[in-house]
Amino acid sequence: MERIINIEWTGSAEGGHLRLLDQTQLPTDTVYLDCKTVQDVWDAIKRLSVRGAPAIGIAAAYGCVLGVQGASQGVSQALNQAADHLATSRPTAVNLFWALDRMKKVEPCTPQWLLEEAKAIHAEDEAMCRTMGEHALSLMRQTLGQDAAGLPMPGVLTHCNAGALATGGIGTATAGMYLGHQQGLKFTVYADETRPLLQGSRLTAYELGQAGLDVVLICDGMAAQVMREGKVGMVITGADRIAANGDAANKIGTYNLAVLAKHHGVPFYVAAPSSTFDLSLASGDLIPIEERAAEEITQGFGKRTAPEPVKTYSPAFDVTPAELIRAIVTEKGVIQPVTQQRIGEVLGL
Amino acid sequence: MERIINIEWTGSAEGGHLRLLDQTQLPTDTVYLDCKTVQDVWDAIKRLSVRGAPAIGIAAAYGCVLGVQGASQGVSQALNQAADHLATSRPTAVNLFWALDRMKKVEPCTPQWLLEEAKAIHAEDEAMCRTMGEHALSLMRQTLGQDAAGLPMPGVLTHCNAGALATGGIGTATAGMYLGHQQGLKFTVYADETRPLLQGSRLTAYELGQAGLDVVLICDGMAAQVMREGKVGMVITGADRIAANGDAANKIGTYNLAVLAKHHGVPFYVAAPSSTFDLSLASGDLIPIEERAAEEITQGFGKRTAPEPVKTYSPAFDVTPAELIRAIVTEKGVIQPVTQQRIGEVLGL
């Protein structure tokens, strides 16, 4: 796999360190940060040099190893100090706490075993991405073969970044694309730029391009025209939270795509690990949608592009109702049709 | 009307000059250009200080007056020189040639009569906007009253800038909004920022805000969520070209909105002068769609936001099929339903 490496431990448990791709410098500069202290990792998480729930958890786990280096006495105490500090870096990141808790339970508490555990967390995430990718690739082969027959280069449209940069592996929505590319499947990825924060432009177009995939960047409002021209055989996105009935919250603009896909008869898929399901929520109506800062819309490109003052409305997420989703790809299998019953079957509830 | 003035002749035919709002400095700075020579007007058109087909025609007409100032001998020759030069400023602008041709036919060819003619072109455009506005306001009262009953502040969604800044009056898509505001109708305008060139953010939010309307700026991908939340009772946009069957080409992202509006049961309207119809085209499939430069997507606003190299696809326009358009508002009346027959009736063919 030629995918870009975003998180890597180099060297031994005692003398090694963590290398992180500095995502704040993308898409123009590919710069790695050498994190040699807990504070280095804390800073990297805080300033979004590493982002995406799985990636943050993995980085924090490696950060715990850095915290015990040189602490030949009191390793356990050093670990707790490191974990407590790292937990304050992004207090809303659930994977962060999950990974730190797992590190605190390592027995015996030695640098070597802590590094093994961090590597296990990393490898498990990588494996989960790959399994999702295999399921997604099956759907791609079916869908692009059937619905896009005759296109010289059938297209897959995605939104935001549910990619390698957000995980310890080949991403969620992107996983099938990486595997398909590796296996010689010919297709074009249309990447929505994803306003306001341009994750599609800055991150998805970057990482897929680095891996040699054929990526075409479009503005969000162009997706309907691209579908009308028959350029897209399927849409696949990630999800931040999925309710018990299959309604899926994801980056704002995803629901927009799902409506367009329905109108054009293009299947719309979601790829997300089973941990994304929040079965305490009966439906997507119960998923709270935070509103983001006006400045992301009014001066997101380096200079002000809106009058002052101006009102904005900037929901961070939207909810795609289950009936617009053809299938949800998880590491435990493909949920299709998207019904409460089928969700229970695939997740093994 | 509190709308911002974008084109104004000040002073006499012999000693006066043209004042233009410099749209290149919007939305942050409200700066007027004093154009005292033909070259000043040529420059203003060329660098897009004045833009929008009707506004360009009006500015060029006033430019002809500047061309004959002081030419007490050979006014006719000076006029022809001025008109020929102005015609090279934006060679694809149809209204420009139409206005210049009209100026060349003025008899007797004196500065006073030329100024009268330029003012007539300006006033006719203003009147046409107002008539469209009256029709659009009727639709707004019907639609917002019926479909959005119970909303504290029903919303009108628009895309790009089909506003006062593009015309000699109160715009096309915006005309009903200005009149409604003047008459005390309470509503919110949701303005799509309109990537890639952000005309909605830079121009529409600016001009409506200056006139005291309640404007909320959103990113293009948020429109579906805004509709789902019931915030929008109708959508109205302009059009660049309308085929004989009612298919309408407009700024990319318009078709996107029309599909979303249909899904949410929100009526979608187009407002455009009758000159927008190109009856030589049987349907919208025959409207050519130019592709724009990649840089508008990858580094539109002062810094690069996409990897290098990256492919882009950037259609400048899309075509909304007639069946998605509830009505087309023209200065000659409202075309509803949008059928070839009804188009013929309203346009008086």
Side-chain angles (χ1 to χ4, degrees):
Chain A
M1 186 58 57
E2 310 135 320
R3 74 161 173 96
I4 190 116
I5 298 298
N6 57 330
I7 309 175
E8 191 176 35
W9 182 269
T10 69
S12 66
E14 286 288 5
H17 68 273
L18 178 63
R19 293 189 79 216
L20 290 177
L21 178 62
D22 184 358
Q23 298 195 30
T24 64
Q25 306 212 35
L26 299 181
T28 48
D29 298 296
T30 302
V31 175
Y32 283 87
L33 297 172
D34 286 313
C35 297
K36 297 183 174 175
T37 66
V38 173
Q39 189 59 41
D40 289 346
V41 178
W42 191 95
D43 289 341
I45 296 172
K46 182 73 177 180
R47 69 166 173 260
L48 309 183
S49 291
V50 56
R51 34 71 52 202
I56 289 170
I58 294 162
Y62 286 122
C64 290
V65 182
L66 295 172
V68 302
Q69 284 178 340
S72 51
Q73 318 289 319
V75 171
S76 185
Q77 194 188 338
L79 170 65
N80 282 328
Q81 273 184 3
D84 288 351
H85 186 48
L86 287 166
T88 64
S89 60
R90 280 234 19 220
T92 56
V94 172
N95 279 54
L96 175 62
F97 304 124
W98 169 83
L100 294 172
D101 282 347
R102 200 166 141 178
M103 293 301 286
K104 286 201 230 173
K105 288 180 188 146
V106 170
E107 286 283 348
C109 183
T110 66
Q112 288 72 21
W113 283 106
L114 287 167
L115 179 58
E116 287 303 313
E117 187 72 6
K119 286 188 170 176
I121 289 171
H122 193 167
E124 286 164 25
D125 190 63
E126 195 168 356
M128 200 154 62
C129 290
R130 174 167 283 268
T131 306
M132 277 187 276
E134 283 158 3
H135 294 311
L137 180 55
S138 297
L139 292 174
M140 282 172 68
R141 288 194 187 278
Q142 280 170 36
T143 311
L144 298 182
Q146 287 169 8
D147 295 359
L151 289 185
M153 194 77 154
V156 181
L157 178 60
T158 191
H159 191 72
C160 198
N161 178 257
L165 289 170
T167 66
I170 53 177
T172 58
T174 57
M177 304 175 195
Y178 281 110
L179 292 183
H181 176 64
Q182 195 179 36
Q183 295 178 23
L185 188 68
K186 295 281 178 215
F187 58 95
T188 297
V189 180
Y190 288 89
D192 263 2
E193 64 172 8
T194 316
R195 282 282 285 153
L197 292 181
L198 298 175
Q199 294 94 336
S201 177
R202 294 186 295 108
L203 305 177
T204 301
Y206 170 85
E207 67 164 80
L208 296 179
Q210 288 278 325
L213 279 82
D214 185 58
V215 191
V216 174
L217 181 64
I218 61 171
C219 297
D220 305 335
M222 295 171 185
Q225 177 65 15
V226 169
M227 289 186 199
R228 190 170 161 84
E229 292 177 17
K231 289 187 160 75
V232 169
M234 63 182 278
V235 179
I236 188 164
T237 73
D240 285 278
R241 209 160 167 192
I242 306 177
N245 69 343
D247 292 352
N250 193 42
K251 185 61 38 64
I252 186 74
T254 304
Y255 168 58
N256 186 40
L257 282 184
V259 171
L260 299 178
K262 183 191 174 196
H263 183 81
H264 293 89
V266 170
F268 178 88
Y269 299 113
V270 167
S274 57
S275 59
T276 309
F277 282 84
D278 183 345
L279 301 174
S280 71
L281 301 173
S283 82
D285 296 339
L286 300 169
I287 300 176
I289 296 182
E290 64 174 289
E291 214 182 313
R292 298 194 56 92
E295 287 68 31
E296 293 178 355
I297 299 183
T298 59
Q299 47 197 39
F301 297 94
K303 70 174 185 187
R304 189 158 182 103
T305 53
E308 198 159 26
V310 71
K311 286 191 203 174
T312 62
Y313 178 56
S314 188
F317 303 101
D318 55 28
V319 175
T320 299
E323 62 263 28
L324 295 181
I325 306 172
R326 182 77 62 93
I328 300 176
V329 176
T330 76
E331 82 283 9
K332 295 189 174 179
V334 177
I335 298 165
Q336 184 174 14
V338 181
T339 61
Q340 191 135 10
Q341 189 193 329
R342 184 74 188 131
I343 290 170
E345 286 167 14
V346 171
L347 299 189
L349 303 173
Chain B
M1 187 58 55
E2 311 136 321
R3 75 163 173 95
I4 191 115
I5 299 299
N6 56 331
I7 309 175
E8 192 177 35
W9 182 268
T10 70
S12 65
E14 288 287 5
H17 68 274
L18 178 63
R19 293 190 78 215
L20 290 177
L21 178 62
D22 184 358
Q23 298 194 31
T24 64
Q25 306 211 35
L26 298 181
T28 47
D29 297 297
T30 301
V31 176
Y32 283 88
L33 297 172
D34 287 313
C35 297
K36 296 183 174 174
T37 66
V38 173
Q39 189 60 40
D40 289 346
V41 178
W42 191 96
D43 289 340
I45 296 173
K46 182 73 176 178
R47 71 167 170 259
L48 309 183
S49 292
V50 56
R51 33 109 356 236
I56 290 171
I58 295 162
Y62 285 123
C64 291
V65 183
L66 295 172
V68 302
Q69 284 179 341
S72 51
Q73 318 290 320
V75 172
S76 185
Q77 193 189 337
L79 170 64
N80 283 327
Q81 274 185 1
D84 289 351
H85 185 48
L86 287 166
T88 65
S89 60
R90 287 268 317 256
T92 56
V94 172
N95 279 55
L96 175 61
F97 305 124
W98 169 84
L100 293 172
D101 282 347
R102 199 166 141 178
M103 293 301 285
K104 286 201 231 173
K105 289 179 188 148
V106 170
E107 287 283 349
C109 183
T110 66
Q112 289 71 21
W113 283 106
L114 287 167
L115 179 59
E116 287 304 313
E117 188 71 7
K119 285 187 170 176
I121 290 172
H122 193 166
E124 286 164 25
D125 190 64
E126 194 168 357
M128 200 156 61
C129 289
R130 174 167 283 269
T131 306
M132 277 187 276
E134 283 158 5
H135 294 312
L137 180 56
S138 297
L139 292 174
M140 282 172 68
R141 288 193 187 279
Q142 281 170 35
T143 312
L144 299 182
Q146 286 168 8
D147 295 358
L151 288 185
M153 193 78 154
V156 181
L157 178 60
T158 191
H159 191 72
C160 197
N161 178 256
L165 289 171
T167 67
I170 52 176
T172 58
T174 57
M177 303 175 198
Y178 281 110
L179 293 182
H181 176 64
Q182 194 179 36
Q183 295 177 23
L185 188 67
K186 295 283 178 215
F187 58 96
T188 297
V189 180
Y190 288 89
D192 263 2
E193 64 173 8
T194 316
R195 281 285 283 155
L197 292 180
L198 298 176
Q199 293 94 336
S201 176
R202 294 187 295 108
L203 305 177
T204 302
Y206 170 83
E207 68 164 79
L208 296 179
Q210 288 279 324
L213 280 80
D214 185 58
V215 191
V216 174
L217 181 63
I218 61 171
C219 296
D220 305 335
M222 295 170 185
Q225 177 65 15
V226 168
M227 288 186 200
R228 190 169 160 85
E229 292 177 17
K231 289 187 159 76
V232 169
M234 64 181 278
V235 179
I236 188 164
T237 73
D240 286 278
R241 208 160 168 193
I242 305 177
N245 70 343
D247 293 352
N250 192 43
K251 185 60 39 64
I252 186 74
T254 303
Y255 168 58
N256 187 39
L257 281 184
V259 172
L260 299 179
K262 183 192 174 197
H263 183 81
H264 293 90
V266 170
F268 179 89
Y269 299 113
V270 167
S274 57
S275 59
T276 310
F277 282 83
D278 183 345
L279 301 173
S280 72
L281 302 173
S283 80
D285 296 340
L286 300 168
I287 301 176
I289 295 181
E290 63 174 291
E291 214 183 313
R292 298 193 57 92
E295 288 67 32
E296 293 178 357
I297 298 183
T298 59
Q299 48 193 40
F301 300 94
K303 70 176 183 189
R304 188 160 182 103
T305 52
E308 199 160 23
V310 71
K311 287 191 202 173
T312 62
Y313 178 56
S314 187
F317 303 102
D318 55 27
V319 176
T320 299
E323 63 263 27
L324 296 181
I325 305 173
R326 183 77 61 95
I328 300 176
V329 176
T330 76
E331 82 284 9
K332 296 188 174 178
V334 176
I335 298 164
Q336 183 174 14
V338 181
T339 61
Q340 191 136 11
Q341 188 192 332
R342 184 73 188 131
I343 290 170
E345 288 166 13
V346 171
L347 300 189
L349 304 174

